[in-house]
Amino acid sequence: MAAVQRLLRAAASSSSSSVAAGRRRMTTSLAPEQTPAAAPAFPFAGAERRRRPAHERNVQWVFLGCPGVGKGTYASRLSRLLGVPHIATGDLVRDELASTGPDAVQLKEIVNQGKLVSDEIIINLLSKRLKKGEEKGESGFILDGFPRTVNQAEILDGVTDIDMVVNLKLREDIIVQKCLGRRICSQCGKNFNLACIDVKAENGLPPIYMSPLLPPNNCMSKLLTRDDDTEEVVRNRLRIYNKMSQPVEDFYQKQGKVLEFDLPGGIPESWPKLLDVLNLEDQQEMKLAAA
């Protein structure tokens, strides 16, 4: 529970510089939002405990990458493989919006107005999720969608050790095609993608092929497109992300924690290569390949 306690105290700080002063650096085997206001006090925010060294816990990784690149897909696969929770802040926000929790009303107003969710709310949601996990005996995590700003990165760095940052890369034109092909079934709620991406090699860039993820026949007539999956909105999201993410990437690059991974294609092409650079094996995939 040490990380949760420190996260809440850091969120309550009125100055990001005070958080940065208490930041701890760590080496690994791999080489403009407002400062949050005081966070609500939780009853477990008192005691102090030491950070657990890496050999006493599971991995603590962060996944970076622009919207639509596939962070959730690969983070969730690694989560299952390594036995650590995959914590996506987008899911935390959606769950809170659907709840009657203390942040729900304020959060709905922010989202409806198209504003950025504040550091305070995101950190509170993340703190509660970590607390629940620790109460269930969880160890380690893969964060997806956090941190998105240097302020968030400094707060996180001040309360827990991040072992590695996996930065997924994919060409913008391909991400746009992926996003425009996304569909969700209004009946079963599953996600699909109708885009068949077949980009030839040109100008020194490698070819990329991504097969579509087609729905079964009974879902085909019930497919819906997200309201924000238009080319204009997608490109604007990418522009905002690129502007905000570069300082975060630089923050972790200086610590030697970033693993840059250029996706060579869809899951069949990318997953084995990602496992290879992480020095991991997926026994289930190996069994299927040998069958």
Side-chain angles (χ1 to χ4, degrees):
M1 195 173 292
V4 179
Q5 294 160 350
R6 295 191 186 95
L7 191 60
L8 288 166
R9 285 196 297 275
S13 172
S14 60
S15 170
S16 62
S17 61
S18 64
V19 174
R23 198 166 63 215
R24 176 182 174 193
R25 299 297 186 185
M26 170 183 171
T27 58
T28 68
S29 58
L30 298 174
E33 294 185 354
Q34 290 182 339
T35 302
F42 286 94
F44 56 89
E48 179 81 19
R49 282 173 53 192
R50 68 183 179 90
R51 303 185 192 195
R52 295 174 63 185
H55 69 274
E56 293 183 6
R57 58 167 169 75
N58 288 326
V59 301
Q60 295 185 171
W61 292 353
V62 165
F63 262 64
L64 298 180
C66 58
V69 75
K71 296 188 299 297
T73 297
Y74 294 102
S76 62
R77 281 182 162 235
L78 286 168
S79 166
R80 292 191 296 270
L81 182 64
L82 298 171
V84 299
H86 166 217
I87 303 176
T89 52
D91 292 342
L92 298 182
V93 169
R94 283 186 285 272
D95 290 345
E96 186 67 22
L97 285 170
S99 75
T100 56
D103 292 320
V105 174
Q106 181 185 3
L107 194 54
K108 287 175 183 176
E109 293 178 357
I110 292 171
V111 172
N112 290 338
Q113 294 171 12
K115 296 180 179 179
L116 290 173
V117 180
S118 69
D119 288 357
E120 177 190 355
I121 292 177
I122 291 294
I123 290 167
N124 283 344
L125 294 176
L126 180 58
S127 298
K128 288 188 285 186
R129 171 61 184 85
L130 290 174
K131 176 178 181 285
K132 289 179 181 178
E134 289 181 349
E135 289 174 346
K136 294 188 297 183
E138 290 179 351
S139 172
F141 52 73
I142 297 178
L143 293 182
D144 166 7
F146 184 92
R148 290 191 176 183
T149 67
V150 171
N151 183 47
Q152 292 178 355
E154 289 176 337
I155 291 173
L156 184 64
D157 208 37
V159 298
T160 193
D161 291 317
I162 297 302
D163 303 325
M164 181 171 62
V165 177
V166 180
N167 192 20
L168 299 182
K169 299 283 191 177
L170 190 62
R171 289 165 46 183
E172 182 172 313
D173 58 325
I174 295 175
I175 290 177
V176 172
Q177 289 185 58
K178 280 187 63 183
C179 290
L180 296 183
R182 292 191 296 199
R183 300 291 188 275
I184 184 170
C185 177
S186 60
Q187 180 171 304
C188 70
K190 291 183 178 179
N191 291 290
F192 304 98
N193 200 304
L194 306 184
C196 181
I197 298 170
D198 189 4
V199 179
K200 308 302 180 184
E202 60 179 2
N203 301 324
L205 297 174
I208 292 183
Y209 177 77
M210 294 184 176
S211 57
L213 180 59
L214 298 175
N217 291 333
N218 59 311
C219 291
M220 187 63 77
S221 62
K222 305 175 183 66
L223 297 182
L224 300 175
T225 303
R226 283 173 38 172
D227 292 339
D228 56 349
D229 274 348
T230 66
E231 183 169 353
E232 179 182 2
V233 172
V234 169
R235 290 193 182 277
N236 187 54
R237 283 206 304 263
L238 293 174
R239 180 186 60 78
I240 293 173
Y241 174 82
N242 290 331
K243 180 179 179 181
M244 295 178 63
S245 69
Q246 191 58 56
V248 178
E249 293 177 21
D250 293 343
F251 177 86
Y252 286 118
Q253 286 281 9
K254 291 175 182 177
Q255 299 182 19
K257 295 183 178 180
V258 178
L259 171 66
E260 303 276 5
F261 184 75
D262 291 291
L263 293 165
I267 294 174
E269 298 81 18
S270 300
W271 179 238
K273 289 183 170 59
L274 180 59
L275 291 179
D276 185 56
V277 299
L278 293 173
N279 197 28
L280 296 172
E281 289 184 348
D282 187 339
Q283 296 295 332
Q284 186 63 32
E285 291 280 341
M286 293 171 68
K287 289 179 182 178
L288 292 174

